[in-house]
Amino acid sequence: MFLYLLTLCDMALLQILHYPDPRLHKKAKPVAQVDDRIRQLVADMAETMYDAPGVGLAATQIDVHERVVVIDTSEEKNDLRVLINPEIISRSDEASVYEEGCLSVPGVYDEVERPSRVRVRARNLKDEVIEFDAEGLLAVCVQHEIDHLNGKVFVQHLSLLKQTRLKAKLRKQERELERA
Ligand code: NI
């Protein structure tokens, strides 16, 4: 899939928004049609994700507010999943805790509890409806990326005290960068 994209499009690295940028909290709109514009967006998002490197990227993170996600949880980075208008159609009662990170919150990792298994429905690049079951890292990743499309960053699952401390720390870092 990734090789196919490489031959189809020229790709570009995109700038990733960093929390607490308010644009990370916009709710993304559904994609009406999978066309060349969406294929180019996906190619750029995949390149940006692999370059970072990360295991997932939602369009929201690059300031495009449409429901597009790319994920690759494989060791070899050769299993790109493109999810357009993804939705979770069922979730397990059982939950798991996983230490999450995010390209929009660099250097921050913390434990988040989510359903252990989910069933996902989405459209792919051929505009076909696909459905699959996800568990482990893939289940975490799908839920984390759909949260992004809904304007939610993983740190919003943490306690309010942790969120307040984190925002203060990140703002301080930003000021130090500006002064440097
Ligand atoms: Ni993220």
Side-chain angles (χ1 to χ4, degrees):
M1 177 57 94
F2 191 48
L3 287 174
Y4 163 74
L5 284 168
L6 272 171
T7 54
L8 185 72
C9 311
D10 290 327
M11 299 188 295
L13 284 179
L14 305 165
Q15 202 190 332
I16 297 173
L17 300 178
H18 285 172
Y19 178 84
D21 191 312
R23 291 171 289 180
L24 285 169
H25 304 303
K26 282 193 195 176
K27 191 173 158 74
K29 293 193 171 69
V31 171
Q33 198 186 352
V34 180
D35 54 14
D36 283 349
R37 187 182 63 87
I38 295 296
R39 281 184 278 271
Q40 182 68 57
L41 172 67
V42 164
D44 291 342
M45 284 174 62
E47 192 190 18
T48 304
M49 174 184 73
Y50 286 118
D51 179 74
V55 293
L57 188 71
T60 306
Q61 293 177 272
I62 47 129
D63 202 21
V64 173
H65 302 282
E66 295 181 74
R67 303 188 80 80
V68 178
V69 160
V70 292
I71 291 175
D72 190 341
T73 54
S74 69
E75 287 280 321
E76 301 81 13
K77 298 293 161 214
N78 60 1
D79 185 23
L80 180 67
R81 283 170 194 264
V82 177
L83 306 180
I84 295 163
N85 301 339
E87 47 183 330
I88 289 167
I89 54 176
S90 68
R91 0 173 110 67
S92 63
D93 292 332
E94 189 197 329
S96 301
V97 174
Y98 199 91
E99 186 167 77
E100 296 187 24
C102 179
L103 295 176
S104 291
V105 200
V108 175
Y109 301 88
D110 214 324
E111 290 183 339
V112 177
E113 184 177 289
R114 301 181 187 271
S116 307
R117 291 177 305 280
V118 290
R119 183 154 183 86
V120 185
R121 183 184 292 152
R123 304 194 80 85
N124 65 15
L125 272 184
K126 294 184 216 154
D127 210 14
E128 299 161 339
V129 176
I130 51 165
E131 270 189 34
F132 61 93
D133 293 305
E135 59 179 357
L137 178 58
L138 181 59
V140 173
C141 209
V142 167
Q143 295 176 82
H144 176 121
E145 301 311 332
I146 291 177
D147 269 359
H148 273 305
L149 299 180
N150 293 328
K152 190 168 182 179
V153 178
F154 87 98
V155 295
Q156 293 175 271
H157 288 276
L158 307 178
S159 70
L160 286 177
L161 178 62
K162 274 192 179 176
Q163 290 182 49
T164 305
R165 280 182 184 158
L166 184 60
K167 271 188 200 164
K169 186 180 125 187
L170 293 172
R171 291 208 175 104
K172 186 165 168 249
Q173 275 177 5
E174 244 168 63
R175 281 196 303 273
E176 279 163 6
L177 278 175
E178 278 164 18
R179 257 185 263 130

